[in-house]
Amino acid sequence: MEICMMTEKLQEKINLRATAMELKAQALSDGMIPMRHYGFRKASEGITTLEEVMTVTAASE
C-alpha cells in the first residue's frame, strides 16, 4: 500500500473522476515517490537488499 499527500491538483482530479493512471501521474508530479523507488534508495544505502525490495513491492512500478 502506498500513501501520498493530498494536493489541490490531486483533489481536482479526484473531483473530475480521473482514471487511476491520471491520479498516479498527478501524485508523481506532486512529488510522490513510489514505494519501489524508495526501496531502491534504501538498497543503495545498504539498509535493505534489492531482492527484498523486489519481493515486497508491486511489479508495475
Side-chain angles (χ1 to χ4, degrees):
M1 179 179 283
E2 292 181 305
I3 298 174
C4 69
M5 296 295 293
M6 182 62 65
T7 64
E8 277 188 45
K9 289 181 181 181
L10 187 55
Q11 184 64 56
E12 288 173 16
K13 296 266 186 194
I14 291 169
N15 291 342
L16 294 171
R17 298 179 184 259
T19 66
M21 200 155 98
E22 291 170 323
L23 294 174
K24 184 171 184 176
Q26 184 63 56
L28 291 170
S29 172
D30 291 342
M32 183 187 104
I33 301 170
M35 193 180 318
R36 182 168 275 189
H37 294 189
Y38 187 76
F40 289 155
R41 269 196 214 164
K42 294 301 178 185
S44 72
E45 295 170 5
I47 295 171
T48 189
T49 64
L50 285 175
E51 292 79 13
E52 183 68 14
V53 172
M54 299 304 285
T55 299
V56 300
T57 58
S60 64
E61 294 297 322

